[in-house]
Amino acid sequence: MRLGRREFVMGLSAPLFLEACTTPQARTAASRPGPIIANTRYGPVVGRENQGALAFKGVRYGAPTSGSSRFMAPSPPTPWTEPQTAFEYGPMAPQLNPAQVGSSIERAETESEDCLKLNVWTPALADGRKRPVMVWLHGGGLWRLSAAGDYQDGSRLAANNDVVMVSPNHRLNVLAHAYLDEFDPAFAGSSSAGMLDLVLALEWVRDNIEEFGGDPDNVTIFGQSGGGQKVSFLMAMPAAHGLFHKAIIQSGPAPLALERPYGRDLAARLLAILEIPQHRVRDIQSVPLDAIMRAYYRIFQEIGGFGTMGVIQDFAPVVDDVVLPQHPFWNGASPLSKNIPLLLGTVRTEMTQYFLAANPEAPQRDLATVIAQLEPLFGSDAEAIVAHYRSAHPQASLWEVDALIRADWPTRLFTQRIADEQNKAGAPVYLYRMDWETKARDGLLMSPHAIDIPFVLDTVGSRSVEAGQIDEQTRMMHQMSAAWTSFARNGAPRAPTFPEWEPYNPTTRPTLLFNLQSRMEDDPDGSDLEQLKRNLANYRVVAGGVTTPTN
């Protein structure tokens, strides 16, 4: 399924300088005896109290990525001495289509190549505590959105669970993932430039988080959708090794990256549209940003847009033997993360909101239409797959059957693949499925993609799912935020609000089903996923195909 321009735009979320303290002193949101100033390695920043936590937004962790820094590995920022206010989110990475959204001046107010800023929420500063650190990687695939928005605010998660939350912005889309290596060795690793931004953010956490009351030796990376994909890639990157200690993937498994031939083709198209000879690839660093983004969106349309959720076909990290030496999980988990505990899962009907937006009449389709619309994914297997799901779920409507298939392919299937491989590597793994349903859109959404973000981040009420269901959402939040912070604290997701969570194994596949009454169940999607695996080799799992490793 392709995301239209309207859905892309709808998805975008939504100065006083004070002198620094000269002596260390613990500061809490409750006491606030004076200016809230944190002294980072690069310079002092001024925060403010918010919902019981201390909030620092838009803190610089990297230098601008424009000009000669474009498509290159990021650099640390230039230090400063005067306290910098950290009251507002930093600009999002360039991502808007110049041909469709506003003027250059209007876009400059919301997006910038100077986007390497992060946000920190903590219960207290410099108090000697060793709080778990949770680094949230925002969603939006690898091409859009940012860490801004009330639904991603970390104040309540920090205040209510005694943790420190960090959320960075970083480069996205073509500026983060153009594979230019084969045109000029100076660009080695350019297809993972945006991921190296996140490595730099994690280095900032290592070097600065004690000032914010956090423990640099207990860092959990977690993210939903594209954020989960970023977690997947970091688990296979040597540069990220040792910078985090636990990982959580929500509805965003990325067992695969791109292969070099496909990455090279995308980059060659980019240079051709910009009329840059391949032997003069460095000229791209001086091309106006608007021209690059126009070229990017032209390629984006040519390849079919975002494509099927979870099947990477846009600019993305390439297995390059430089920054990313292997696919994250397809041919086995990376030995770099063999000791990293992993919590991962999905929501039950991932694609309902997106599919309804693109196909408002979808719930009224007949069987023949449903099968025909699944044929681009499964070819001649579509009819047998629908028949299996109807038999396995006899109480489900045709709309629900289609929703289950689109959630399982590939999100649930890829999630199981990662769970299996990480378990084989010897790490503790915990698998879940979030089944709670919203009554929004006459109940047609069921459990849509991203509905669980407020449950995890303790932000229920920041945007309403359905009036009258706030109590239910709050119950879900009390379960999931407790599980996530427990896992971040000690590697075991525990809470009195749900049963004991049994670690995953590939034989019985124990899974926690989150709902108003949560429960454990062995292999709840077993027969459905086995049906999809039967002819897996015939389905497109990543653009350009997958090369079997030779070593």
Side-chain angles (χ1 to χ4, degrees):
M1 188 203 68
R2 301 176 183 175
L3 297 184
R5 180 64 197 164
R6 180 171 179 268
E7 286 70 49
F8 166 63
V9 175
M10 289 175 65
L12 296 176
S13 300
L16 175 67
F17 290 89
L18 301 169
E19 295 188 13
C21 298
T22 56
T23 58
Q25 182 179 1
R27 297 294 175 85
T28 67
S31 60
R32 289 184 293 130
I36 303 172
I37 298 181
N39 294 297
T40 76
R41 173 169 293 192
Y42 301 108
V45 292
V46 185
R48 56 171 42 151
E49 189 275 336
N50 185 58
Q51 300 185 78
L54 305 179
F56 298 81
K57 297 181 180 179
V59 177
R60 180 181 293 279
Y61 72 89
T65 60
S66 55
S68 60
S69 297
R70 186 183 284 165
F71 300 108
M72 309 298 283
S75 300
T78 301
W80 59 89
T81 56
E82 292 297 316
Q84 303 292 300
T85 54
F87 298 162
E88 305 293 338
Y89 291 112
M92 64 185 181
Q95 58 193 259
L96 303 179
N97 186 346
Q100 297 183 12
V101 182
S103 67
S104 296
I105 295 177
E106 290 171 336
R107 293 198 308 279
E109 294 178 353
T110 58
E111 63 176 27
S112 171
E113 287 187 88
D114 186 11
C115 63
L116 302 189
K117 313 285 180 67
L118 55 75
N119 317 298
V120 185
W121 293 269
T122 180
L125 294 178
D127 63 353
R129 296 285 297 278
K130 292 285 189 178
R131 295 178 179 84
V133 182
M134 303 181 70
V135 181
W136 171 254
L137 308 182
H138 72 78
L142 302 173
W143 63 293
R144 63 176 184 147
L145 301 185
S146 76
D150 290 346
Y151 73 103
Q152 297 181 109
D153 185 284
S155 298
R156 293 192 339 212
L157 188 74
N160 295 341
N161 299 279
D162 198 33
V163 300
V164 179
M165 178 172 148
V166 179
S167 62
N169 280 354
H170 58 95
R171 283 173 286 181
L172 299 167
N173 53 67
V174 63
L175 295 170
H177 302 300
Y179 178 60
L180 305 173
D181 304 39
E182 295 185 28
F183 305 124
D184 188 329
F187 290 99
S190 63
S191 73
S192 292
M195 297 305 305
L196 290 173
D197 293 344
L198 293 177
V199 170
L200 186 63
L202 290 171
E203 290 175 342
W204 185 96
V205 168
R206 177 196 63 198
D207 297 338
N208 294 278
I209 209 63
E210 285 184 291
E211 170 71 7
F212 295 87
D215 183 357
D217 295 320
N218 188 8
V219 176
T220 299
I221 56 173
F222 69 131
Q224 187 271 345
S225 193
Q229 292 181 318
K230 297 161 196 174
V231 171
S232 303
F233 291 123
L234 286 169
M235 292 183 74
M237 290 175 57
H241 183 61
L243 294 175
F244 62 93
H245 312 93
K246 305 177 192 71
I248 302 174
I249 299 172
Q250 300 171 222
S251 299
L256 289 149
L258 297 178
E259 298 277 2
R260 279 178 280 199
Y262 186 82
R264 187 186 191 282
D265 177 68
L266 288 179
R269 291 195 205 188
L270 176 68
L271 295 176
I273 294 171
L274 295 173
E275 299 182 347
I276 297 174
Q278 292 181 3
H279 69 280
R280 293 182 56 87
V281 63
R282 295 190 193 195
D283 290 354
I284 199 171
Q285 293 180 317
S286 59
V287 170
L289 177 61
D290 274 13
I292 292 177
M293 296 308 295
R294 287 177 187 273
Y296 167 65
Y297 273 99
R298 176 173 162 184
I299 297 169
F300 190 77
Q301 291 178 336
E302 289 173 353
I303 64 176
F306 185 74
T308 303
M309 181 76 78
V311 176
I312 295 174
Q313 68 180 38
D314 190 11
F315 285 86
V318 170
V319 179
D320 59 3
D321 294 331
V322 177
V323 176
L324 188 66
Q326 69 165 76
H327 289 288
F329 292 98
W330 197 252
N331 299 314
S334 170
L336 294 168
S337 295
K338 64 181 181 180
N339 296 319
I340 300 295
L342 177 63
L343 187 158
L344 74 169
T346 70
V347 297
R348 186 169 179 267
T349 56
E350 292 279 353
M351 298 307 301
T352 48
Q353 186 167 8
Y354 290 106
F355 201 74
L356 274 174
N359 304 271
E361 305 304 318
Q364 286 76 50
R365 292 169 300 163
D366 60 19
L367 178 60
T369 302
V370 169
I371 293 172
Q373 291 181 346
L374 288 170
E375 286 176 352
L377 300 180
F378 304 115
S380 59
D381 294 338
E383 184 174 0
I385 289 172
V386 173
H388 164 84
Y389 274 77
R390 295 187 79 189
S391 175
H393 305 275
Q395 304 303 315
S397 66
L398 187 57
W399 163 247
E400 186 176 358
V401 163
D402 183 64
L404 293 174
I405 294 171
R406 293 179 184 276
D408 288 350
W409 178 261
T411 310
R412 193 74 190 164
L413 184 65
F414 281 5
T415 295
Q416 186 188 91
R417 179 78 172 238
I418 291 176
D420 286 346
E421 297 300 337
Q422 189 67 357
N423 175 267
K424 289 178 188 176
V429 175
Y430 296 89
L431 185 65
Y432 74 90
R433 194 182 71 197
M434 204 294 295
D435 289 357
W436 180 81
E437 296 185 359
T438 173
K439 296 177 183 176
R441 299 290 298 272
D442 297 322
L444 293 173
L445 294 181
M446 294 176 280
S447 306
H449 193 67
I451 196 173
D452 55 331
I453 293 177
F455 304 160
V456 167
L457 297 185
D458 210 336
T459 57
V460 164
S462 60
R463 55 183 186 182
S464 179
V465 174
E466 175 72 0
Q469 285 190 285
I470 292 295
D471 288 346
E472 292 187 12
Q473 294 175 64
T474 301
R475 288 174 61 185
M476 295 304 301
M477 179 179 72
H478 286 161
Q479 294 185 73
M480 297 190 75
S481 64
W484 267 231
T485 53
S486 169
F487 180 76
R489 195 172 308 280
N490 54 37
R494 300 282 186 264
T497 50
F498 58 81
E500 182 175 351
W501 195 334
E502 182 182 345
Y504 179 83
N505 71 79
T507 302
T508 59
R509 295 197 167 100
T511 305
L512 183 61
L513 304 182
F514 277 109
N515 211 323
L516 297 178
Q517 296 295 327
S518 297
R519 59 188 175 86
M520 291 295 305
E521 183 173 322
D522 286 345
D523 206 8
D525 310 293
S527 67
D528 295 344
L529 298 186
E530 288 303 317
Q531 175 70 33
L532 297 180
K533 292 177 192 175
R534 289 181 182 177
N535 293 313
L536 180 62
N538 298 328
Y539 309 149
R540 192 186 197 215
V541 292
V542 68
V546 187
T547 300
T548 301
T550 57
N551 56 8

